Amino acid sequence: MATTHYDILVVGAGIAGSALAHALSTITSKLRPAPLRIALLERSLAEPDRIVGELLQPGGVAALQKLGLESCLEGIDAIPTHGYCVVRSGQIVHIPYPDGRQGRSFHHGRFIMALRERAKRAAGVDVIEATANELIECQHTNRVLGVRATRSSAGDTSGSNKEKESFFADLVVIADGCFSNFRSAVMGKALRESPTKSYFCGAILKDTRLPMPEHGTVALVQGHGPVLLYQISEHDTRMLVDVKAPVPHDLKMKILLSCREAALSTSNVVAHASVNPSLYWPGKSPTTLLSTLCRRTYKSLYIRIAPSPFLLAYHFFYVAFYSIWVMFMHPRAVHDAINPDKPRMVAPSIGEYPGLAVKSINVVSHVSPHFPVLDGLRRLWTSTLVGGTVVVKII
C-alpha cells in the first residue's frame, strides 16, 4: 500500500476545502520559510451541478477579499446582488443590503472550479482526485493520523478494483459537506441527526425579468412554501421551490434536490424566520411585518456580516417582543362606513386587549422552538481535539 505524508490534509475540495487549502499555502514564518505541504482530496474534480451555494452574501464576498480570492468571482458570469425583494399578493418589500454592500450570484459549479484552480496554483498544494474511504487512527491514542483513499481515473469511477493509498498528515481537516462520510467518526456522541423536513426543487428560467433586477426575490405564496428566485448568469435565473417531504412522485419538472436539514447556522435560522414572518405576527400581512422589521438586526445576521449566536438570540427576543408591542400600540386600517374609499387608522381599544394577549402567547410559542439551535451553533463552531490532532468540523 502506497503512503504519502503531508503537513496538512484537507478532505473535500468544495468552497471551504479549496479556500482553506489556498489560505494555508500563504502561511510562512521565520521557523518555516517554505510553504506548507498540503494535500487537497476530492472524489470528483468534474464541475459539480448543484443548486446550493449560488448566492454569496456580502459577508462571503468580504471573506473572499480577505483571503485574496476575489478573482474567483470574475470570468464566471456572476451577477451583483444588492439585496432582496419580498413579493406577496402584488405587494413588494425592498430589503437592501446595508452600507451599499454587494453580494454575488452565480452557477455553483463555475465558482467551485475557479476556487479549485486557485488551489491548484497555490504553492505546496497537491489537488488529488481520490475518494477518502476511512480515517486512519492510532490504536493506542485514537489520534487521527490521516485517511485511506482510492485514486480516481478515467473509466473507473467506483475504484472498487484499486488498491487504497494512505495519506498521512500532522493536521487532518474534514470538509466534505453536509453528507459527510466521517461526521459520525469525528463528532461521536455529540452527533445529532437532523431529520429532512422538506426539499428544494430547482429549475433554471431563461431570460426572465425579476421585479427588481440584481436582487434575490422571495415570493410568499399563501398555503405553500416560499419560492426563491435569483439571477445566476446573464440569461439564467434560478427558481427554488420548497416542497415538503416526501417529494410527490408525479412531480413533472426535472428537479435537482438539495436536502434541507435542520438549521445549524445563524444565517439559516434567520432565513427560516424571514420566509415565515407569521412567526412573529400571526394574522398580519407578512409584507407589513417585513417592511417594519427587516431593516433591523435581521439583515446583518442574514447576509453573514455578523454571524453571532448571541446576536441571533437578541434578534429573536427583540423581534418577538417588538411585534407584540406593535400589535397593542400601532394603529391599523379599519373600514369607514361614511367614507368607504378612505379607511381610518385606529389604535386597538382596551376591549381588544384580551384577544391580542392570546396572539402574544402565540407569538412566543412560535418563536421558542428555535432556541435549541443555539446549542447546535456552539457545537458547530467548536473544534475537537482528537489525541493531539485537531480535526476541524466543517458541516
Side-chain angles (χ1 to χ4, degrees):
M1 179 183 295
T3 62
T4 311
H5 190 278
Y6 289 88
D7 295 311
I8 299 175
L9 173 63
V10 182
V11 178
I15 294 176
S18 299
L20 179 62
H22 176 273
L24 292 174
S25 72
T26 64
I27 298 177
T28 58
S29 67
K30 293 181 179 179
L31 297 177
R32 182 191 288 273
L36 294 165
R37 291 198 66 220
I38 303 167
L40 179 60
L41 269 60
E42 171 58 40
R43 179 178 59 85
S44 173
L45 292 176
E47 181 174 324
D49 184 13
R50 303 180 64 191
I51 63 173
V52 298
E54 293 180 316
L55 204 165
L56 189 65
Q57 302 294 344
V61 174
L64 285 179
Q65 292 171 346
K66 290 181 180 180
L67 293 172
L69 292 172
E70 64 271 18
S71 63
C72 293
L73 297 174
E74 306 298 330
I76 61 172
D77 201 11
I79 303 298
T81 56
H82 303 280
Y84 280 84
C85 166
V86 182
V87 181
R88 181 178 183 272
S89 301
Q91 301 180 35
I92 295 177
V93 174
H94 181 207
I95 310 177
Y97 290 145
D99 305 322
R101 295 174 183 259
Q102 288 188 11
R104 291 289 189 279
S105 53
F106 38 69
H107 282 274
H108 173 81
R110 298 176 186 176
F111 180 55
I112 292 294
M113 296 304 285
L115 287 173
R116 289 175 180 174
E117 185 59 33
R118 288 296 302 274
K120 290 178 181 179
R121 299 203 309 264
V125 177
D126 291 338
V127 180
I128 303 168
E129 190 170 29
T131 301
N133 308 114
E134 58 181 316
L135 297 176
I136 302 175
E137 300 182 41
C138 177
Q139 295 181 355
H140 304 288
T141 63
N142 291 330
R143 176 182 175 182
V144 177
L145 305 175
V147 300
R148 290 189 181 90
T150 307
R151 289 184 183 262
S152 305
S153 64
D156 182 10
T157 57
S158 64
S160 58
N161 298 323
K162 291 193 174 185
E163 183 181 5
K164 293 180 181 178
E165 182 175 347
S166 296
F167 294 88
F168 292 92
D170 299 324
L171 178 68
V172 177
V173 180
I174 304 299
D176 56 346
C178 65
F179 300 107
S180 172
N181 294 323
F182 305 105
R183 180 177 298 172
S184 58
V186 172
M187 299 187 68
K189 294 181 179 180
L191 178 64
R192 185 177 299 173
E193 293 294 337
S194 300
T196 300
K197 299 294 185 180
S198 62
Y199 295 86
F200 265 141
C201 300
I204 290 181
L205 310 179
K206 292 293 185 180
D207 297 317
T208 300
R209 291 186 60 188
L210 297 176
M212 299 186 70
E214 298 184 350
H215 281 69
T217 300
V218 180
L220 303 178
V221 183
Q222 186 70 28
H224 300 277
V227 177
L228 179 62
L229 301 101
Y230 48 89
Q231 191 176 354
I232 57 176
S233 66
E234 182 180 0
H235 299 287
D236 294 346
T237 296
R238 172 70 72 190
M239 180 179 71
L240 296 176
V241 181
D242 188 60
V243 179
K244 292 182 178 180
V247 177
H249 294 293
D250 59 348
L251 197 61
K252 300 299 182 182
M253 60 184 292
K254 181 180 180 181
I255 59 175
L256 298 171
L257 299 179
S258 173
C259 286
R260 292 187 64 190
E261 298 186 359
L264 282 180
S265 70
T266 304
S267 56
N268 286 345
V269 179
V270 182
H272 176 72
S274 72
V275 296
N276 292 277
S278 60
L279 291 176
Y280 302 112
W281 206 342
K284 290 289 184 179
S285 166
T287 49
T288 302
L289 171 63
L290 286 171
S291 62
T292 305
L293 300 178
C294 70
R295 291 175 176 82
R296 298 182 181 273
T297 57
Y298 141 78
K299 287 198 301 183
S300 292
L301 286 162
Y302 187 72
I303 65 178
R304 294 175 173 85
I305 294 175
S308 166
F310 302 103
L311 184 60
L312 171 65
Y314 168 81
H315 164 79
F316 272 95
F317 278 111
Y318 184 98
V319 176
F321 287 105
Y322 180 80
S323 62
I324 292 173
W325 181 84
V326 167
M327 284 193 294
F328 279 87
M329 304 303 298
H330 274 213
R332 65 190 188 284
V334 297
H335 179 72
D336 190 341
I338 300 177
N339 190 1
D341 295 331
K342 187 177 181 180
R344 294 184 299 115
M345 303 300 293
V346 179
S349 63
I350 297 179
E352 296 177 85
Y353 282 10
L356 294 177
V358 173
K359 287 187 176 182
S360 301
I361 296 174
N362 193 21
V363 168
V364 176
S365 66
H366 276 76
V367 174
S368 59
H370 291 278
F371 292 109
V373 81
L374 295 179
D375 179 63
L377 287 168
R378 178 187 59 79
R379 293 185 296 108
L380 178 69
W381 291 344
T382 303
S383 298
T384 301
L385 189 64
V386 184
T389 296
V390 178
V391 181
V392 182
K393 304 191 295 284
I394 303 177
I395 57 178

